[in-house]
Amino acid sequence: MALAREFPGLTGHMVTTEGTANFAIVGLVSEGTFTGALGAITREIAFLLGTNHDPAIHEALRRALTNFLQPENFARGSVGSNDLLEINFGEFWTDLCLQLEPRVARRLNFSFDIDRYCDWHDNDEPWSEDNGAPHHLEDIIQSAANLRFLERDGRCYYKIDRKLMALVAIDFRMHLGSTLAGEDPDREFRLEVAYLLVDTPEDELWEWAAHAAFRSTPLNLADLGALQTSFVDYASHLRQETIRFLTRDDLPTSIAA
């Protein structure tokens, strides 16, 4: 607010978080005024802090903030200290997704659902947007179609499966501006999967292989090296399956679907 008053020609938007208190603030500076909103940190809002490299996200954020932080919208929540509107960032993220290309919005929402799915299974203190421990997957996964995809064909059966899907989520967020197809993105992903195997105990990988073979996954079980190569091949195939899933015409763009 002080910057806006001192420099009336300054325009811009901001996203900031306070991790220890679990709140975030978004806002606009324009024509000598600052308009902001406060709410609990979500994965989506935390993601926006690290998107300086992506002009499309920046422009969508600017448009979404301009649309959302209008005087009439202050009726959506109660005005807190310093006239910050208290909002649910899930509603704001839905508005922001409308400013993005549908394929980018689907990719992002799918990757956040993967993160929530993995946390629900494997973390002692799962990320929770409402400060309470979630008990049902249906309560934390935003898209029923995403949940069906993750649970089908043993894709997240073992912890190593979920680690693999987490790599898919990271890969999607890193390549927002690309089609994800081609040799280079696949080569990068295969390399990350190989790094994952470095820290995977041999018995854990063989246990995974027994279940994967049962569901007819093509594997070479001649020795550990052959199995590791097969795992990387499987991971690359899984990534391609996920890309095809996200380009289906019948998938909703909105996280509310």
Side-chain angles (χ1 to χ4, degrees):
M1 288 185 288
L3 276 173
R5 286 193 298 266
E6 187 170 351
F7 302 100
L10 183 67
T11 61
H13 61 263
M14 56 156 285
V15 181
T16 185
T17 62
E18 212 306 310
T20 57
N22 192 38
F23 72 82
I25 295 174
V26 297
L28 285 171
V29 174
S30 179
E31 299 180 351
T33 63
F34 170 77
T35 306
L38 176 149
I41 299 175
T42 64
R43 291 183 183 280
E44 291 81 355
I45 292 299
F47 162 78
L48 292 175
L49 289 172
T51 56
N52 293 332
H53 62 284
D54 196 306
I57 296 291
H58 252 309
E59 178 59 22
L61 177 59
R62 183 192 66 78
R63 291 197 302 266
L65 284 172
T66 302
N67 294 338
F68 201 80
L69 297 177
Q70 297 294 323
E72 61 268 22
N73 289 337
F74 277 68
R76 295 184 181 183
S78 60
V79 177
S81 61
N82 296 326
D83 290 336
L84 288 175
L85 174 66
E86 296 181 9
I87 64 171
N88 181 332
F89 278 127
E91 182 180 355
F92 170 70
W93 178 258
T94 300
D95 285 3
L96 189 148
C97 284
L98 296 176
Q99 308 296 330
L100 293 169
E101 292 183 38
R103 66 179 180 88
V104 173
R106 289 174 182 173
R107 197 178 297 175
L108 283 173
N109 289 320
F110 181 77
S111 73
F112 293 131
D113 272 348
I114 291 176
D115 291 343
R116 282 185 280 263
Y117 188 99
C118 293
D119 274 355
W120 186 86
H121 272 283
D122 301 318
N123 287 356
D124 293 332
E125 297 181 359
W127 183 297
S128 175
E129 278 78 7
D130 60 2
N131 291 321
H135 298 290
H136 302 288
L137 273 174
E138 291 77 7
D139 297 333
I140 62 173
I141 301 297
Q142 301 296 327
S143 165
N146 289 347
L147 181 57
R148 288 193 298 271
F149 178 85
L150 291 171
E151 293 192 316
R152 192 165 59 240
D153 299 329
R155 291 189 179 105
C156 292
Y157 188 83
Y158 283 110
K159 189 170 185 177
I160 189 173
D161 289 306
R162 296 188 290 275
K163 288 180 179 179
L164 190 54
M165 289 305 308
L167 288 181
V168 171
I170 294 171
D171 179 69
F172 283 6
R173 291 195 288 267
M174 287 180 61
H175 297 94
L176 283 177
S178 73
T179 62
L180 294 174
E183 293 185 5
D184 288 343
D186 186 60
R187 186 182 301 111
E188 293 176 21
F189 181 73
R190 291 172 71 94
L191 186 59
E192 291 299 324
V193 175
Y195 288 145
L196 170 64
L197 287 175
V198 171
D199 296 323
T200 301
E202 181 178 343
D203 58 347
E204 183 178 338
L205 185 59
W206 282 110
E207 183 179 359
W208 171 86
H211 183 264
F214 177 77
R215 62 179 194 258
S216 301
T217 301
L219 296 173
N220 185 341
L221 305 178
D223 54 35
L224 179 61
L227 174 58
Q228 290 172 330
T229 300
S230 293
F231 182 82
V232 175
D233 290 340
Y234 163 79
S236 178
H237 178 72
L238 175 65
R239 178 178 176 274
Q240 294 302 321
E241 278 188 332
T242 308
I243 293 171
R244 287 192 291 271
F245 165 72
L246 290 175
T247 54
R248 281 170 33 190
D249 293 335
D250 59 334
L251 275 185
T253 299
S254 170
I255 62 172

